[in-house]
Amino acid sequence: MTAPVFLADAAALRAADVVVLDGDEGRHAAVVRRIEVGETVELTDGAGQLARCLVVGVSKQGLTCEVVARVEVPEPRPRVVVAQAIPKGDRGETAVETMTEVGVDEILPWSAQRCMVRWTGERGDKALRRWRSTAREAAKQARRAWLPVVGDPVGTPGLAGRVAGAALAVVLHEEASEPLGAVNIPADGDILLVVGPEGGLAPEELDALATAGAVVARLGPTVLRTSTAGTVAAGIVLARTPRWTTRP
């Protein structure tokens, strides 16, 4: 079984031979996960630094970890970005969790025209914090050295700007003639996958994204919920890149 991963201070990971994991992360490791002396853990800063450590001390406040080896994990290429239309309830957190586990590098909350939920004021700030917390915890569960970025919410004009700057942008649509599995996948740059709301994309949104350079493709013969489509699409794309076909 692979060693559990915890987030640690970047400066300590670069230089210290002994790293103290304290604060919320340390208490979680010691009290909730019940890590014991002699166990191996991996500490990361979430931006590619990874230290394999031996636990040499445990208290209720955290762990004392002796660094055994350090690894600089390169940023994954190509990057997979999912623009996720904001769903109602906890489906957004489900989407973020599974997309993080599968390897998505960036998640853009998209305020599409037919979204039933609007992120405004404190409610929107709270929802965004939940998405980011969910991504952080899922990244640790998935043993990732790079945490995914959960960006600020975008409207369709902002999303069109991201489409224009991507190496490949794909709008997922059940009526498209071309399957996602047949789209050529670039070796580098951002691959942007656009997932619409449960009510579907408005025609003007589809036009705006296509004008910005997006292609339209379908996932398969069935229609998926907005909370699962991004994860499935990312898996299809990643399976056709060295990220999934080359042993790390």
Side-chain angles (χ1 to χ4, degrees):
M1 185 175 178
T2 56
V5 171
F6 300 98
L7 294 173
D9 178 70
L13 290 183
R14 278 194 297 268
D17 293 328
V18 175
V19 178
V20 176
L21 185 68
D22 54 13
D24 291 341
E25 196 78 352
R27 286 188 290 274
H28 178 79
V31 177
V32 179
R33 295 295 300 272
R34 298 184 180 180
I35 302 297
E36 298 180 349
V37 170
E39 291 191 53
T40 298
V41 298
E42 291 185 345
L43 306 181
T44 182
D45 65 348
Q49 287 193 79
L50 189 69
R52 180 168 285 264
C53 302
L54 181 68
V55 178
V56 295
V58 178
S59 71
K60 291 183 178 180
Q61 283 68 48
L63 310 179
T64 301
C65 306
E66 183 179 283
V67 177
V68 176
R70 288 186 174 89
V71 178
E72 285 282 348
V73 180
E75 186 174 9
R77 309 299 299 180
R79 294 178 76 248
V80 176
V81 183
V82 175
Q84 172 67 58
I86 300 169
K88 61 182 179 180
D90 60 0
R91 289 190 177 275
E93 289 153 62
T94 298
V96 169
E97 181 178 49
T98 55
M99 286 191 290
T100 298
E101 290 173 358
V102 86
V104 170
D105 302 289
E106 184 178 357
I107 300 165
L108 291 174
W110 175 32
S111 183
Q113 184 174 319
R114 293 177 178 170
C115 285
M116 296 180 66
V117 174
R118 298 294 168 187
W119 282 5
T120 57
E122 177 56 30
R123 178 184 180 182
D125 293 341
K126 185 177 180 180
L128 182 58
R129 288 195 297 270
R130 286 199 304 268
W131 279 34
R132 287 173 172 165
S133 175
T134 298
R136 183 174 61 251
E137 295 307 311
K140 292 191 295 181
Q141 172 66 33
R143 313 298 199 259
R144 291 182 57 166
W146 285 86
L147 296 186
V149 175
V150 178
D152 292 331
V154 295
T156 300
L159 180 56
R162 289 297 302 266
V163 166
L168 169 68
V170 182
V171 178
L172 304 174
H173 198 286
E174 68 270 18
E175 295 181 2
S177 58
E178 185 176 22
L180 179 59
V183 175
N184 290 328
I185 303 298
D188 203 0
D190 283 0
I191 299 172
L192 174 58
L193 304 170
V194 179
V195 178
E198 296 288 353
L201 279 76
E204 53 269 33
E205 291 174 324
L206 192 59
D207 289 344
L209 298 176
T211 299
V215 300
V216 183
R218 70 178 189 277
L219 284 177
T222 60
V223 178
L224 303 184
R225 301 207 69 151
T226 187
S227 54
T228 56
T231 301
V232 173
I236 291 171
V237 168
L238 286 164
R240 300 174 60 207
T241 73
R243 290 178 58 171
W244 274 24
T245 59
T246 303
R247 186 175 179 87

